[in-house]
Amino acid sequence: MTSLAQLFFDAASLGGIYAMAALGIALIFGVMNLVNFAHGEYIAFCVFALIVPSTEAVAVMFLGKAPAFLLIPVLLGLGAGAAVASEYVVFRHMRKATPVAMMISSFALGFVIQNALLAVYGGRPKAISLWPDLNTPVGVLGAQVPLLQLIVVLTTLLVVCALALLLKKTRLGLEMRAAAENFTMARLLGVRANVVITGAFALSGALAAAVALIMATQTGVADVRMGGQIMLVAFIATVIGGLGSLPGAVAAGFLIGGASVLLQAFLPLEVRPFRDAFLYTLVIACLLLRPQGLFAASSAKPRI
Amino acid sequence: MMSKLGVFDVSVRYGKVPALTDVTLHLEEGERVFISGPNGAGKSSLLGAISGAVATTHGRIEMDGHLLTGRAPEAIARLGLSMVPEGREIFGSLTVSENLRVGTGLRRDRGAVEGDIEEIFEAFPILGERRHASAGALSGGQQQMLAIGRALMTNPKLMMVDEPSLGLAPKIVDQVYDTLVQLQEERGLTLLIVEQSSTRAARVGGRMILLRGGSVVGDGDAAAFAEKDLLSEAYFGQSKAQPKKEAAQ
């Protein structure tokens, strides 16, 4: 039977993935009022970067063969690079566009990335094995928990703390917080819009890469459609958390992960396949009670 | 001689609505100039056009011989222009001292920043006491002080202040102006201030430029404006039937 400790680690690790994905979306929304629906595709892109490009059913590891100390920084850099490049190619030209136009172009960008992956890697999901040892269970508080779950929980905490420190203690962080609250005023004080926005995209892309590493290890599957599912949940988390609020995105990510695991465990067997229907009912209830999100952001006003 | 700031035939429109039409004005180095006029006269649009926050549709703006028109606000700030905007626009989620630091990224003398922050805290002791408090919790007058301190931290040569008296008690407004005048004398700043009240401007002293309907309709010593009827004419047009007492407020 599933013990309480088991449930806790399931919830915390799933929530951690959602929280990191939601943070990636909230960071960019904070500085430029853009809901970047291509974020899920950054994650998929990073997962596929692990394997050799081919349409064969069997995946051959490419970047994934590198040792962890090399693989992790390279993939984080790749994720950051992809996000920054997409800002440079697409969103930079839309700075004066309405948030809706920007959002639609992010959808378009997402489709472009997804179809590029489809063309290069084929549509069939591929089994990949990245760090298989991490899925061996270890005993914690009487529960059998895969080592990876522990690592995910610790990584999430580490990432959240590092991001908080970066925002609180560095020049870029200060400028990002100022720009998130009032972009025009920050620019009037000499804060460079390009630096802040590029910085936000780079951080967001690196977060996507971290999520990609965890998902690839946990599920062992590379699927061109994998970005859509995580993007949906992460987007919901940013809305529930209060669009633009970083602590809100983290809290809501954990909340959704926790609710999902609890529903899975305690729903009667016959309705369990409809878990997501119950989950999204809770989401709707949450939004009815607090439409502005659990944590109202101070940045929810137009950019210019 | 080249003036500190030159605005030549500048027009601004929002969609089809003209906000400024062919405005020309000049500021000399170290001068204190008030911009006055009724609501909708284009005062804030003028400051927006100079700072780069608002796009111009016609004309050009120069500071120290540099063309400002078409530059991004952050590039204009780097040339030595700083702004205390209407409504102060404090970063409420940042602490008082973080607010002061936002504008220091453009400075080359990073080592002097800490000393300058202490100087601001000496000039405004209340800000020093609350340096770690969230700026959103400050009173209106304190926020005005913070907005001025924040603008000074960029080491500007020209500072623009939009309606420093807005929403403040008269006693606090006196303090704000005393501080501005003192700072100007210490630092040799050029000041451009939006001020609705000609009597207030006259008391502080300086030149006054009167805007109405997006055009310059008067330019002269602030004291002269306070005495004459020019301001109320600007507010109420030629119709003398309107009450005049509000104009002086």
Short mmCIF file of all heavy atoms in Angstrom, two decimals, chain B residues 185-247:
data_model
loop_
_atom_site.label_atom_id
_atom_site.label_comp_id
_atom_site.label_asym_id
_atom_site.label_seq_id
_atom_site.Cartn_x
_atom_site.Cartn_y
_atom_site.Cartn_z
N GLU B 185 21.19 74.03 -6.63
CA GLU B 185 22.33 74.89 -6.36
C GLU B 185 23.59 74.08 -6.10
O GLU B 185 24.68 74.43 -6.56
CB GLU B 185 22.01 75.80 -5.16
CG GLU B 185 21.14 76.98 -5.59
CD GLU B 185 20.42 77.65 -4.43
OE1 GLU B 185 20.72 77.30 -3.27
OE2 GLU B 185 19.57 78.51 -4.70
N GLU B 186 23.42 72.95 -5.37
CA GLU B 186 24.60 72.13 -5.06
C GLU B 186 25.18 71.47 -6.30
O GLU B 186 26.39 71.36 -6.45
CB GLU B 186 24.23 71.03 -4.06
CG GLU B 186 24.08 71.52 -2.64
CD GLU B 186 23.47 70.48 -1.73
OE1 GLU B 186 23.33 69.31 -2.18
OE2 GLU B 186 23.13 70.80 -0.59
N ARG B 187 24.31 70.99 -7.17
CA ARG B 187 24.78 70.14 -8.27
C ARG B 187 24.81 70.82 -9.62
O ARG B 187 25.20 70.21 -10.61
CB ARG B 187 23.88 68.90 -8.38
CG ARG B 187 23.86 68.07 -7.13
CD ARG B 187 23.11 66.79 -7.40
NE ARG B 187 23.13 65.92 -6.23
CZ ARG B 187 23.30 64.60 -6.28
NH1 ARG B 187 23.47 64.02 -7.44
NH2 ARG B 187 23.30 63.88 -5.18
N GLY B 188 24.34 72.06 -9.69
CA GLY B 188 24.31 72.73 -10.98
C GLY B 188 23.37 72.09 -11.98
O GLY B 188 23.60 72.10 -13.18
N LEU B 189 22.29 71.49 -11.43
CA LEU B 189 21.30 70.82 -12.28
C LEU B 189 20.51 71.83 -13.12
O LEU B 189 20.33 72.97 -12.72
CB LEU B 189 20.27 70.11 -11.42
CG LEU B 189 20.55 68.74 -10.86
CD1 LEU B 189 19.43 68.39 -9.88
CD2 LEU B 189 20.60 67.74 -11.99
N THR B 190 20.05 71.38 -14.27
CA THR B 190 19.03 72.11 -15.00
C THR B 190 17.70 71.44 -14.65
O THR B 190 17.61 70.22 -14.68
CB THR B 190 19.28 72.02 -16.51
OG1 THR B 190 20.64 72.39 -16.76
CG2 THR B 190 18.35 72.92 -17.27
N LEU B 191 16.70 72.25 -14.29
CA LEU B 191 15.44 71.68 -13.82
C LEU B 191 14.29 72.09 -14.74
O LEU B 191 14.15 73.26 -15.09
CB LEU B 191 15.11 72.18 -12.41
CG LEU B 191 15.64 71.43 -11.19
CD1 LEU B 191 15.14 72.13 -9.93
CD2 LEU B 191 15.19 69.97 -11.20
N LEU B 192 13.47 71.10 -15.10
CA LEU B 192 12.24 71.37 -15.83
C LEU B 192 11.11 70.79 -15.01
O LEU B 192 11.06 69.58 -14.77
CB LEU B 192 12.31 70.71 -17.22
CG LEU B 192 11.12 70.94 -18.16
CD1 LEU B 192 10.98 72.41 -18.50
CD2 LEU B 192 11.30 70.14 -19.45
N ILE B 193 10.22 71.68 -14.52
CA ILE B 193 9.21 71.24 -13.56
C ILE B 193 7.81 71.55 -14.09
O ILE B 193 7.54 72.68 -14.51
CB ILE B 193 9.39 71.97 -12.20
CG1 ILE B 193 10.82 71.79 -11.69
CG2 ILE B 193 8.39 71.47 -11.18
CD1 ILE B 193 11.16 72.67 -10.50
N VAL B 194 6.94 70.56 -14.07
CA VAL B 194 5.54 70.82 -14.38
C VAL B 194 4.87 71.29 -13.10
O VAL B 194 4.94 70.60 -12.07
CB VAL B 194 4.83 69.57 -14.92
CG1 VAL B 194 3.33 69.80 -15.02
CG2 VAL B 194 5.40 69.18 -16.28
N GLU B 195 4.28 72.46 -13.14
CA GLU B 195 3.64 73.00 -11.94
C GLU B 195 2.39 73.77 -12.37
O GLU B 195 2.45 74.69 -13.17
CB GLU B 195 4.61 73.93 -11.19
CG GLU B 195 4.01 74.66 -10.00
CD GLU B 195 3.37 73.72 -8.99
OE1 GLU B 195 4.13 72.97 -8.34
OE2 GLU B 195 2.13 73.73 -8.84
N GLN B 196 1.23 73.36 -11.82
CA GLN B 196 -0.03 73.98 -12.20
C GLN B 196 -0.16 75.41 -11.64
O GLN B 196 -0.77 76.26 -12.26
CB GLN B 196 -1.20 73.15 -11.65
CG GLN B 196 -1.32 71.78 -12.27
CD GLN B 196 -2.37 71.76 -13.35
OE1 GLN B 196 -2.77 72.79 -13.86
NE2 GLN B 196 -2.80 70.55 -13.71
N SER B 197 0.42 75.62 -10.46
CA SER B 197 0.17 76.87 -9.76
C SER B 197 1.24 77.91 -10.07
O SER B 197 2.42 77.71 -9.77
CB SER B 197 0.10 76.60 -8.26
OG SER B 197 0.48 77.75 -7.55
N SER B 198 0.84 79.04 -10.67
CA SER B 198 1.81 80.07 -11.01
C SER B 198 2.29 80.79 -9.76
O SER B 198 3.42 81.26 -9.70
CB SER B 198 1.20 81.06 -12.00
OG SER B 198 0.14 81.76 -11.38
N THR B 199 1.43 80.87 -8.75
CA THR B 199 1.88 81.53 -7.51
C THR B 199 2.98 80.71 -6.84
O THR B 199 3.96 81.25 -6.34
CB THR B 199 0.71 81.71 -6.52
OG1 THR B 199 0.01 80.47 -6.42
CG2 THR B 199 -0.25 82.78 -6.98
N ARG B 200 2.80 79.38 -6.88
CA ARG B 200 3.83 78.51 -6.33
C ARG B 200 5.15 78.68 -7.10
O ARG B 200 6.22 78.86 -6.53
CB ARG B 200 3.35 77.05 -6.41
CG ARG B 200 4.38 76.00 -6.17
CD ARG B 200 4.76 75.84 -4.73
NE ARG B 200 3.63 75.36 -3.93
CZ ARG B 200 3.65 75.29 -2.61
NH1 ARG B 200 4.71 75.70 -1.94
NH2 ARG B 200 2.59 74.86 -1.96
N ALA B 201 5.02 78.67 -8.45
CA ALA B 201 6.21 78.82 -9.29
C ALA B 201 6.88 80.16 -9.03
O ALA B 201 8.11 80.25 -8.94
CB ALA B 201 5.83 78.69 -10.76
N ALA B 202 6.07 81.21 -8.86
CA ALA B 202 6.63 82.54 -8.62
C ALA B 202 7.39 82.57 -7.30
O ALA B 202 8.44 83.19 -7.17
CB ALA B 202 5.51 83.58 -8.63
N ARG B 203 6.82 81.89 -6.30
CA ARG B 203 7.47 81.88 -5.00
C ARG B 203 8.83 81.17 -5.07
O ARG B 203 9.79 81.58 -4.47
CB ARG B 203 6.56 81.19 -3.97
CG ARG B 203 6.72 81.77 -2.59
CD ARG B 203 5.82 81.08 -1.57
NE ARG B 203 4.44 80.95 -2.04
CZ ARG B 203 3.62 79.98 -1.62
NH1 ARG B 203 4.06 79.07 -0.78
NH2 ARG B 203 2.38 79.93 -2.06
N VAL B 204 8.88 80.07 -5.83
CA VAL B 204 10.15 79.34 -5.97
C VAL B 204 11.11 80.12 -6.86
O VAL B 204 12.30 80.18 -6.61
CB VAL B 204 9.90 77.92 -6.54
CG1 VAL B 204 11.20 77.17 -6.69
CG2 VAL B 204 8.94 77.15 -5.66
N GLY B 205 10.56 80.74 -7.90
CA GLY B 205 11.37 81.56 -8.79
C GLY B 205 11.88 80.79 -9.99
O GLY B 205 12.31 79.65 -9.85
N GLY B 206 11.82 81.43 -11.14
CA GLY B 206 12.31 80.81 -12.35
C GLY B 206 11.52 81.27 -13.56
O GLY B 206 10.66 82.15 -13.45
N ARG B 207 11.81 80.66 -14.70
CA ARG B 207 11.09 81.00 -15.92
C ARG B 207 9.86 80.12 -16.01
O ARG B 207 9.85 79.02 -15.47
CB ARG B 207 12.01 80.78 -17.12
CG ARG B 207 11.40 81.14 -18.46
CD ARG B 207 12.51 81.50 -19.45
NE ARG B 207 13.34 80.35 -19.79
CZ ARG B 207 13.16 79.62 -20.91
NH1 ARG B 207 12.20 79.91 -21.76
NH2 ARG B 207 13.96 78.61 -21.17
N MET B 208 8.84 80.60 -16.69
CA MET B 208 7.63 79.79 -16.84
C MET B 208 7.21 79.76 -18.30
O MET B 208 7.20 80.77 -18.99
CB MET B 208 6.52 80.37 -15.99
CG MET B 208 5.27 79.52 -15.97
SD MET B 208 4.17 80.15 -14.70
CE MET B 208 3.43 78.66 -14.16
N ILE B 209 6.91 78.53 -18.74
CA ILE B 209 6.39 78.37 -20.10
C ILE B 209 4.96 77.86 -19.98
O ILE B 209 4.69 76.91 -19.24
CB ILE B 209 7.25 77.37 -20.91
CG1 ILE B 209 8.66 77.94 -21.11
CG2 ILE B 209 6.60 77.03 -22.24
CD1 ILE B 209 9.64 76.96 -21.72
N LEU B 210 4.07 78.53 -20.69
CA LEU B 210 2.66 78.21 -20.57
C LEU B 210 2.20 77.44 -21.80
O LEU B 210 2.41 77.88 -22.93
CB LEU B 210 1.88 79.52 -20.44
CG LEU B 210 0.49 79.45 -19.86
CD1 LEU B 210 0.49 78.77 -18.50
CD2 LEU B 210 -0.06 80.88 -19.72
N LEU B 211 1.60 76.28 -21.56
CA LEU B 211 1.06 75.49 -22.66
C LEU B 211 -0.45 75.55 -22.64
O LEU B 211 -1.06 75.64 -21.57
CB LEU B 211 1.47 74.01 -22.52
CG LEU B 211 2.91 73.58 -22.80
CD1 LEU B 211 3.04 72.09 -22.61
CD2 LEU B 211 3.33 73.98 -24.20
N ARG B 212 -1.02 75.51 -23.82
CA ARG B 212 -2.47 75.39 -23.89
C ARG B 212 -2.84 74.72 -25.20
O ARG B 212 -2.33 75.10 -26.25
CB ARG B 212 -3.12 76.78 -23.81
CG ARG B 212 -4.60 76.70 -23.87
CD ARG B 212 -5.25 77.99 -23.38
NE ARG B 212 -6.66 77.80 -23.56
CZ ARG B 212 -7.35 78.38 -24.53
NH1 ARG B 212 -6.77 79.20 -25.37
NH2 ARG B 212 -8.63 78.14 -24.65
N GLY B 213 -3.65 73.68 -25.10
CA GLY B 213 -4.07 72.95 -26.30
C GLY B 213 -2.91 72.42 -27.10
O GLY B 213 -2.98 72.31 -28.32
N GLY B 214 -1.81 72.10 -26.44
CA GLY B 214 -0.69 71.49 -27.13
C GLY B 214 0.28 72.49 -27.75
O GLY B 214 1.18 72.10 -28.49
N SER B 215 0.09 73.78 -27.46
CA SER B 215 1.01 74.78 -28.02
C SER B 215 1.52 75.70 -26.92
O SER B 215 0.87 75.87 -25.88
CB SER B 215 0.30 75.65 -29.07
OG SER B 215 -0.18 74.83 -30.10
N VAL B 216 2.69 76.32 -27.16
CA VAL B 216 3.23 77.28 -26.21
C VAL B 216 2.47 78.60 -26.40
O VAL B 216 2.42 79.14 -27.50
CB VAL B 216 4.73 77.52 -26.46
CG1 VAL B 216 5.26 78.61 -25.54
CG2 VAL B 216 5.50 76.22 -26.25
N VAL B 217 1.86 79.10 -25.32
CA VAL B 217 1.12 80.36 -25.42
C VAL B 217 1.74 81.46 -24.57
O VAL B 217 1.27 82.59 -24.57
CB VAL B 217 -0.37 80.19 -25.05
CG1 VAL B 217 -1.08 79.30 -26.06
CG2 VAL B 217 -0.51 79.61 -23.65
N GLY B 218 2.81 81.12 -23.83
CA GLY B 218 3.44 82.15 -23.03
C GLY B 218 4.78 81.68 -22.55
O GLY B 218 5.01 80.49 -22.37
N ASP B 219 5.72 82.61 -22.36
CA ASP B 219 7.07 82.26 -21.94
C ASP B 219 7.63 83.49 -21.24
O ASP B 219 7.75 84.55 -21.85
CB ASP B 219 7.91 81.88 -23.16
CG ASP B 219 9.28 81.34 -22.78
OD1 ASP B 219 9.73 81.61 -21.65
OD2 ASP B 219 9.89 80.64 -23.63
N GLY B 220 7.95 83.40 -19.95
CA GLY B 220 8.49 84.56 -19.26
C GLY B 220 8.75 84.27 -17.80
O GLY B 220 8.67 83.11 -17.37
N ASP B 221 9.03 85.31 -17.04
CA ASP B 221 9.31 85.14 -15.63
C ASP B 221 8.05 84.67 -14.90
O ASP B 221 6.96 85.19 -15.12
CB ASP B 221 9.79 86.48 -15.04
CG ASP B 221 10.32 86.28 -13.65
OD1 ASP B 221 11.16 85.38 -13.46
OD2 ASP B 221 9.88 87.01 -12.74
N ALA B 222 8.24 83.66 -14.02
CA ALA B 222 7.09 83.08 -13.33
C ALA B 222 6.33 84.13 -12.53
O ALA B 222 5.10 84.10 -12.45
CB ALA B 222 7.55 81.94 -12.43
N ALA B 223 7.07 85.08 -11.95
CA ALA B 223 6.43 86.10 -11.11
C ALA B 223 5.46 86.95 -11.93
O ALA B 223 4.38 87.31 -11.45
CB ALA B 223 7.51 86.98 -10.48
N ALA B 224 5.85 87.21 -13.18
CA ALA B 224 4.98 88.01 -14.04
C ALA B 224 3.68 87.28 -14.33
O ALA B 224 2.60 87.89 -14.35
CB ALA B 224 5.71 88.33 -15.35
N PHE B 225 3.80 85.97 -14.51
CA PHE B 225 2.61 85.16 -14.77
C PHE B 225 1.65 85.18 -13.60
O PHE B 225 0.44 85.21 -13.75
CB PHE B 225 2.99 83.71 -15.08
CG PHE B 225 3.37 83.50 -16.49
CD1 PHE B 225 4.69 83.46 -16.86
CD2 PHE B 225 2.39 83.34 -17.46
CE1 PHE B 225 5.05 83.26 -18.17
CE2 PHE B 225 2.74 83.13 -18.78
CZ PHE B 225 4.08 83.11 -19.14
N ALA B 226 2.22 85.11 -12.42
CA ALA B 226 1.39 85.05 -11.23
C ALA B 226 0.55 86.30 -11.10
O ALA B 226 -0.57 86.26 -10.62
CB ALA B 226 2.27 84.86 -10.00
N GLU B 227 1.10 87.44 -11.54
CA GLU B 227 0.36 88.70 -11.41
C GLU B 227 -0.67 88.85 -12.50
O GLU B 227 -1.79 89.26 -12.26
CB GLU B 227 1.34 89.87 -11.45
CG GLU B 227 2.14 89.99 -10.18
CD GLU B 227 3.15 91.12 -10.24
OE1 GLU B 227 3.01 91.99 -11.14
OE2 GLU B 227 4.05 91.11 -9.41
N LYS B 228 -0.26 88.50 -13.69
CA LYS B 228 -1.16 88.73 -14.82
C LYS B 228 -2.29 87.70 -14.88
O LYS B 228 -2.30 86.72 -14.16
CB LYS B 228 -0.36 88.68 -16.13
CG LYS B 228 0.48 89.91 -16.35
CD LYS B 228 1.03 89.88 -17.76
CE LYS B 228 2.36 90.63 -17.83
NZ LYS B 228 3.15 90.16 -18.96
N ASP B 229 -3.15 87.97 -15.79
CA ASP B 229 -4.29 87.07 -15.99
C ASP B 229 -3.99 85.95 -16.97
O ASP B 229 -4.86 85.16 -17.28
CB ASP B 229 -5.47 87.88 -16.52
CG ASP B 229 -6.60 87.90 -15.51
OD1 ASP B 229 -6.48 87.23 -14.47
OD2 ASP B 229 -7.60 88.58 -15.77
N LEU B 230 -2.73 85.94 -17.47
CA LEU B 230 -2.40 85.01 -18.56
C LEU B 230 -2.78 83.58 -18.27
O LEU B 230 -3.28 82.87 -19.11
CB LEU B 230 -0.89 85.09 -18.84
CG LEU B 230 -0.47 86.23 -19.74
CD1 LEU B 230 1.05 86.33 -19.78
CD2 LEU B 230 -1.03 86.05 -21.14
N LEU B 231 -2.55 83.18 -17.01
CA LEU B 231 -2.77 81.79 -16.69
C LEU B 231 -4.25 81.43 -16.76
O LEU B 231 -4.64 80.42 -17.32
CB LEU B 231 -2.21 81.50 -15.29
CG LEU B 231 -2.06 80.02 -14.98
CD1 LEU B 231 -1.09 79.36 -15.93
CD2 LEU B 231 -1.59 79.84 -13.55
N SER B 232 -5.06 82.32 -16.20
CA SER B 232 -6.50 82.00 -16.23
C SER B 232 -7.02 82.04 -17.65
O SER B 232 -7.93 81.31 -18.01
CB SER B 232 -7.27 82.95 -15.32
OG SER B 232 -7.12 84.27 -15.76
N GLU B 233 -6.41 82.89 -18.48
CA GLU B 233 -6.80 82.88 -19.89
C GLU B 233 -6.47 81.54 -20.53
O GLU B 233 -7.25 80.99 -21.29
CB GLU B 233 -6.06 83.98 -20.66
CG GLU B 233 -6.88 85.23 -20.86
CD GLU B 233 -6.06 86.30 -21.55
OE1 GLU B 233 -5.36 85.95 -22.53
OE2 GLU B 233 -6.11 87.45 -21.09
N ALA B 234 -5.31 81.03 -20.16
CA ALA B 234 -4.90 79.74 -20.71
C ALA B 234 -5.87 78.65 -20.27
O ALA B 234 -6.21 77.75 -21.01
CB ALA B 234 -3.49 79.40 -20.28
N TYR B 235 -6.30 78.77 -19.03
CA TYR B 235 -7.21 77.76 -18.51
C TYR B 235 -8.59 77.86 -19.12
O TYR B 235 -9.20 76.89 -19.49
CB TYR B 235 -7.36 77.91 -16.98
CG TYR B 235 -6.32 77.17 -16.21
CD1 TYR B 235 -5.07 77.72 -15.99
CD2 TYR B 235 -6.59 75.90 -15.71
CE1 TYR B 235 -4.12 77.05 -15.27
CE2 TYR B 235 -5.64 75.22 -15.00
CZ TYR B 235 -4.40 75.79 -14.77
OH TYR B 235 -3.47 75.12 -14.07
N PHE B 236 -9.08 79.11 -19.18
CA PHE B 236 -10.49 79.25 -19.50
C PHE B 236 -10.74 79.95 -20.83
O PHE B 236 -11.86 80.29 -21.16
CB PHE B 236 -11.19 80.03 -18.38
CG PHE B 236 -10.97 79.41 -17.04
CD1 PHE B 236 -10.22 80.05 -16.06
CD2 PHE B 236 -11.49 78.15 -16.76
CE1 PHE B 236 -10.03 79.46 -14.85
CE2 PHE B 236 -11.27 77.55 -15.54
CZ PHE B 236 -10.54 78.21 -14.57
N GLY B 237 -9.68 80.14 -21.60
CA GLY B 237 -9.85 80.81 -22.88
C GLY B 237 -10.20 82.27 -22.66
O GLY B 237 -9.88 82.86 -21.63
N GLN B 238 -10.89 82.87 -23.62
CA GLN B 238 -11.19 84.29 -23.53
C GLN B 238 -12.42 84.55 -22.68
O GLN B 238 -12.70 85.68 -22.33
CB GLN B 238 -11.39 84.87 -24.93
CG GLN B 238 -10.15 84.79 -25.80
CD GLN B 238 -8.94 85.42 -25.13
OE1 GLN B 238 -9.03 86.52 -24.58
NE2 GLN B 238 -7.81 84.72 -25.15
N SER B 239 -13.15 83.48 -22.36
CA SER B 239 -14.37 83.67 -21.61
C SER B 239 -14.08 84.14 -20.19
O SER B 239 -13.56 83.41 -19.37
CB SER B 239 -15.15 82.35 -21.56
OG SER B 239 -16.00 82.35 -20.45
N LYS B 240 -14.38 85.42 -19.92
CA LYS B 240 -14.09 85.97 -18.60
C LYS B 240 -15.20 85.65 -17.60
O LYS B 240 -15.11 86.02 -16.44
CB LYS B 240 -13.93 87.50 -18.70
CG LYS B 240 -12.82 87.91 -19.63
CD LYS B 240 -11.46 87.71 -18.97
CE LYS B 240 -10.35 88.19 -19.91
NZ LYS B 240 -9.02 87.93 -19.38
N ALA B 241 -16.23 84.99 -18.11
CA ALA B 241 -17.34 84.68 -17.22
C ALA B 241 -16.96 83.60 -16.21
O ALA B 241 -17.57 83.48 -15.17
CB ALA B 241 -18.56 84.23 -18.03
N GLN B 242 -15.93 82.84 -16.57
CA GLN B 242 -15.52 81.75 -15.67
C GLN B 242 -14.86 82.29 -14.41
O GLN B 242 -14.20 83.31 -14.44
CB GLN B 242 -14.51 80.84 -16.39
CG GLN B 242 -15.06 80.17 -17.63
CD GLN B 242 -15.91 78.96 -17.27
OE1 GLN B 242 -15.92 78.52 -16.14
NE2 GLN B 242 -16.63 78.46 -18.25
N PRO B 243 -15.02 81.59 -13.30
CA PRO B 243 -14.34 82.02 -12.09
C PRO B 243 -12.83 81.87 -12.23
O PRO B 243 -12.36 80.97 -12.91
CB PRO B 243 -14.90 81.07 -11.02
CG PRO B 243 -15.37 79.87 -11.78
CD PRO B 243 -15.81 80.37 -13.10
N LYS B 244 -12.09 82.77 -11.61
CA LYS B 244 -10.65 82.77 -11.79
C LYS B 244 -9.91 82.21 -10.58
O LYS B 244 -8.71 82.03 -10.61
CB LYS B 244 -10.15 84.19 -12.06
CG LYS B 244 -10.48 84.64 -13.46
CD LYS B 244 -10.07 86.09 -13.62
CE LYS B 244 -10.63 86.65 -14.92
NZ LYS B 244 -10.59 88.11 -14.92
N LYS B 245 -10.63 82.02 -9.51
CA LYS B 245 -9.90 81.70 -8.28
C LYS B 245 -9.15 80.36 -8.36
O LYS B 245 -8.11 80.22 -7.76
CB LYS B 245 -10.84 81.72 -7.08
CG LYS B 245 -12.00 80.73 -7.16
CD LYS B 245 -12.74 80.76 -5.82
CE LYS B 245 -13.65 79.56 -5.66
NZ LYS B 245 -15.00 79.71 -6.07
N GLU B 246 -9.67 79.40 -9.16
CA GLU B 246 -9.00 78.10 -9.23
C GLU B 246 -7.64 78.18 -9.90
O GLU B 246 -6.76 77.38 -9.60
CB GLU B 246 -9.86 77.11 -10.02
CG GLU B 246 -11.00 76.54 -9.19
CD GLU B 246 -11.94 75.75 -10.07
OE1 GLU B 246 -11.50 74.70 -10.55
OE2 GLU B 246 -13.06 76.21 -10.29
N ALA B 247 -7.51 79.15 -10.79
CA ALA B 247 -6.28 79.24 -11.56
C ALA B 247 -5.08 79.46 -10.64
O ALA B 247 -4.00 78.94 -10.87
CB ALA B 247 -6.37 80.37 -12.56
#
